[in-house]
Amino acid sequence: MPALKTINSINSGYITSLISNLLRKKLYRSEAQLQFDVAWQIRADLINLTDWQVLLEYLSATITSGKNIKRSYTDIIVYNEKTKEFIPIEIKYKTKALKGTNVLKNHGAQDLGAYDFLWDVKRIEMLKTFSCITPQGDTYKREGELSSFIRGFSVLVTNDDSYLRHHPNSCAKNFYFKPGKTFYAGNAIDWDRTNKSMFYRGTWRDAALTFSNNYMCNWNNTIAPTPHPEKMQYLVFEII
């Protein structure tokens, strides 16, 4: 990919192209491997923007619940130490196993995977402000060195078509990503509380999510290469 001319060149088009290029080159065995290669490519593309660095698993915030304090990490942070500007990126890699191989894990639990991806979107939205209250009612406080949010991205990569389908009988039916579906700003996205399946009750996931932006499910796809060619689909939400 060509070197970036300005930091604003890191936009949804750039992230989409980057993910596509990487997926065409190899079939990733793990989320960590994909996250590392995304960070490595961004760093290479920033060669002319020497004030910027790319950080992995960065401590971006703390969550305070009563007397308990939990650290919140972001997969990738593009960061300028001089200006304190930053771009957070979260990546979820959810796979189903390939028959006859152990190349990919069979993650399953698509209902939790869908919620977790949307929680990444919410966490990035919360990073736009220094301090706020989480959907769970806790205090979310951004780390002080991150003072100027530019934009953020939440990425879902999968070979599991379940994420793209509507599941009318699932308690998580509101969380899935049917192509063309839009999550609208201000509309609470919640579990189907009338459903008898309530495995999420009493966990941190037992909270509706409300966004400040609209997010449309515009899926992209490509074929990972041999010896195990596999259709990979990916979704990029840009948080502004």
Side-chain angles (χ1 to χ4, degrees), residues 17-50:
S17 295
L18 187 159
I19 296 294
S20 177
N21 289 340
L22 291 178
L23 295 178
R24 285 200 300 265
K25 293 177 182 177
K26 71 169 81 169
L27 182 61
Y28 283 88
R29 291 175 177 261
S30 71
E31 184 175 275
Q33 185 185 35
L34 176 59
Q35 291 168 352
F36 179 84
D37 278 8
V38 169
W40 185 272
Q41 186 61 58
I42 294 174
R43 185 66 195 94
D45 294 343
L46 288 170
I47 188 170
N48 295 327
L49 302 176
T50 54

Side-chain angles (χ1 to χ4, degrees), residues 20-166:
S20 177
N21 289 340
L22 291 178
L23 295 178
R24 285 200 300 265
K25 293 177 182 177
K26 71 169 81 169
L27 182 61
Y28 283 88
R29 291 175 177 261
S30 71
E31 184 175 275
Q33 185 185 35
L34 176 59
Q35 291 168 352
F36 179 84
D37 278 8
V38 169
W40 185 272
Q41 186 61 58
I42 294 174
R43 185 66 195 94
D45 294 343
L46 288 170
I47 188 170
N48 295 327
L49 302 176
T50 54
D51 289 340
W52 292 88
Q53 53 188 309
V54 182
L55 308 168
L56 281 163
E57 278 299 301
Y58 189 81
L59 175 59
S60 53
T62 55
I63 301 175
T64 303
S65 177
K67 295 182 179 180
N68 298 319
I69 298 177
K70 179 182 177 182
R71 296 180 174 184
S72 179
Y73 294 86
T74 298
D75 292 338
I76 301 169
I77 290 276
V78 183
Y79 178 60
N80 188 316
E81 193 171 7
K82 292 181 179 179
T83 65
K84 311 302 182 185
E85 295 172 289
F86 68 101
I87 297 173
I89 303 170
E90 290 284 354
I91 299 174
K92 284 285 185 288
Y93 187 57
K94 297 296 183 180
T95 58
K96 63 180 180 182
L98 299 182
K99 291 182 180 179
T101 78
N102 356 341
V103 175
L104 295 179
K105 293 181 180 178
N106 196 43
H107 286 116
Q110 293 88 350
D111 41 16
L112 300 182
Y115 185 96
D116 291 353
F117 171 72
L118 294 176
W119 172 240
D120 282 348
V121 176
K122 184 61 183 178
R123 285 198 299 123
I124 293 177
E125 285 196 345
M126 291 190 296
L127 283 174
K128 293 163 64 175
T129 60
F130 176 68
S131 181
C132 65
I133 301 300
T134 72
Q136 295 80 9
D138 302 325
T139 300
Y140 189 88
K141 184 174 290 186
R142 189 179 68 201
E143 289 297 295
E145 65 269 21
L146 303 176
S147 62
S148 186
F149 179 93
I150 297 178
R151 64 181 60 86
F153 301 92
S154 189
V155 180
L156 174 61
V157 179
T158 187
N159 69 327
D160 187 345
D161 287 339
S162 294
Y163 285 99
L164 286 77
R165 296 199 297 267
H166 179 53

